[in-house]
């Protein structure tokens, strides 16, 4: 079983519809994915997000989970095959805090939407796979070959080093240094 988890806020700024349509296309290409893949959406959901989840053609593949305390969310992330990051075009210059948490969880990240800062970071760290929005065939390939696609992370020490250089404290200190210069 392949378990993808999205952990966080599914607001109107971050709707799952495009991903779900690509997942439907992936199942059309590889029907066995309907039995092999589960996608968990944990956290708050806007009314529009709940509607998009309820309209998904393969409801057994999707689980909607209520918001939970951070320790439970971290456990959910660590128990996942991969973590889903919805990287819509409007996020090109935005790095959500969840990306740092996803990387720290030590699970591969499936970035759905190429481009922008998030995709660059995941590429730099070989921390998962990046798919273009709407790429049902690419999603089918990734989910059909999870060992090949989701295991190409750099060493844990490389990722830990990157994380230590990108804490809020370290980034704030760098900004102060730049302003002083």
């Amino acid at each position: 079983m392949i378990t993808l988890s999205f952990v966080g806020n599914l607001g109107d700024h971050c709707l799952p519809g495009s991903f779900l349509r690509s997942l439907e296309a992936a199942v059309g290409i590889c029907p066995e994915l309907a039995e092999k893949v589960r996608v968990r959406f944990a956290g708050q959901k806007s009314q529009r997000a709940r509607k998009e989840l309820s309209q998904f053609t393969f409801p057994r593949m999707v689980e909607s989970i209520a918001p939970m305390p951070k320790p439970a969310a971290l456990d959910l992330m660590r128990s996942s095959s991969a973590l889903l990051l919805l990287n819509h075009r409007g996020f090109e210059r935005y790095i959500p805090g969840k990306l740092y948490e996803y990387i720290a969880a030590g699970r591969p990240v499936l970035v759905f939407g190429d481009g922008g800062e998030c995709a660059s970071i995941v590429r730099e760290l070989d921390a998962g796979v990046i798919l273009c929005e709407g790429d049902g065939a690419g999603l089918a390939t990734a989910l059909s070959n999870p060992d090949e696609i989701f295991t190409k992370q750099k060493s844990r020490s490389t990722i830990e080093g990157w994380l230590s250089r990108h804490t809020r404290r370290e980034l704030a200190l760098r900004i102060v240094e730049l302003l002083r210069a």
Side-chain angles (χ1 to χ4, degrees):
M1 180 67 65
I2 299 165
T3 305
L4 300 177
S5 295
F6 175 95
V7 180
N9 187 9
L10 268 183
D12 289 347
H13 69 289
C14 184
L15 293 167
S18 179
F19 171 76
L20 294 172
R21 286 187 296 278
S22 292
L23 185 56
E24 289 169 344
V27 172
I29 294 166
C30 296
E32 65 274 11
L33 293 177
E35 297 302 320
K36 283 179 40 178
V37 176
R38 295 294 172 265
V39 185
R40 303 183 291 197
F41 290 93
Q44 299 219 20
K45 295 158 195 76
S46 71
Q47 185 174 358
R48 283 179 59 196
R50 285 192 305 271
K51 182 177 180 184
E52 288 183 4
L53 290 171
S54 72
Q55 293 174 339
F56 183 58
T57 305
F58 304 98
R60 289 187 36 215
M61 293 180 73
V62 174
E63 182 180 3
S64 181
I65 301 171
M68 61 185 69
K70 189 162 188 166
L74 293 173
D75 287 342
L76 183 104
M77 286 189 271
R78 289 185 197 112
S79 71
S80 300
S81 305
L83 301 168
L84 175 62
L85 183 70
L86 301 175
N87 187 33
H88 300 300
R89 287 190 181 116
F91 295 158
E92 285 183 2
R93 304 297 306 160
Y94 175 68
I95 304 171
K98 90 168 75 235
L99 178 60
Y100 297 95
E101 291 175 357
Y102 279 11
I103 291 169
R107 304 306 310 140
V109 180
L110 190 154
V111 180
F112 184 75
D114 196 359
E117 301 294 325
C118 293
S120 294
I121 291 168
V122 170
R123 264 193 201 93
E124 174 188 338
L125 296 174
D126 285 333
V129 64
I130 297 103
L131 297 173
C132 292
E133 251 186 287
D135 186 1
L139 185 57
T141 298
L143 296 174
S144 297
N145 303 296
D147 293 335
E148 292 176 32
I149 301 295
F150 295 129
T151 58
K152 60 180 192 171
Q153 289 183 310
K154 285 191 178 179
S155 73
R156 195 69 204 154
S157 63
T158 300
I159 290 174
E160 292 295 334
W162 184 89
L163 286 167
S164 71
R165 292 186 308 276
H166 290 84
T167 64
R168 285 190 169 109
R169 176 177 163 70
E170 289 299 316
L171 294 173
L173 288 172
R174 276 195 243 159
I175 289 172
V176 169
E177 288 174 18
L178 287 170
L179 292 173
R180 283 186 183 151

